[in-house]
Amino acid sequence: MAGGLFHRVGEQDRPRIGLVIDGEEASALEGDTLLVALLTHGTAVRQSEFGDGGRAGFCLMAACQDCWVWTEDGARLRACSTTVQAGMRILTRDVPWPRS
Ligand code: FES
């Protein structure tokens, strides 16, 4: 997916790290939250499990649960309160619900 919902305007000199989002190579800057990584890569954090489209997070402070994503291993993470790590493999759609 080319172009994201978020466009970085500052702090562009941190080291770049790689991750995989829905099987697609992506990158983020060291220290980014996973939510920032997802929204600089694409236009949604995840697809709603209720079929009502893309979600972008709401509270951005780990309270609303609108930003759940999964690792390929099945771990569920709040994107807004998880710091992105190099090599993360994240799923944002087509995830059987509920997962752990
Ligand atoms: S955006 Fe609300 S919990 Fe992450």
Side-chain angles (χ1 to χ4, degrees):
M1 184 181 304
L5 185 64
F6 282 5
H7 299 277
R8 194 178 303 275
V9 296
E11 293 191 50
Q12 301 192 36
D13 56 348
R14 288 180 279 138
R16 188 162 290 277
I17 58 177
L19 70 156
V20 176
I21 300 170
D22 296 323
E24 186 174 316
E25 297 287 333
S27 67
L29 299 187
E30 198 172 271
D32 281 350
T33 63
L34 190 49
L35 186 138
V36 167
L38 291 164
L39 290 179
T40 54
H41 178 73
T43 57
V45 169
R46 66 181 181 95
Q47 291 299 307
S48 169
E49 64 272 28
F50 302 109
D52 55 350
R55 310 298 302 174
F58 182 72
C59 72
L60 309 182
M61 58 182 209
C64 75
Q65 306 188 40
D66 193 47
C67 66
W68 288 120
V69 294
W70 293 261
T71 67
E72 288 183 354
D73 296 336
R76 189 169 62 160
L77 306 171
R78 280 189 176 100
C80 71
S81 59
T82 301
T83 303
V84 70
Q85 302 293 321
M88 276 182 147
R89 300 184 69 87
I90 299 299
L91 298 174
T92 69
R93 58 177 184 250
D94 302 326
V95 178
W97 184 264
R99 302 268 305 249
S100 59

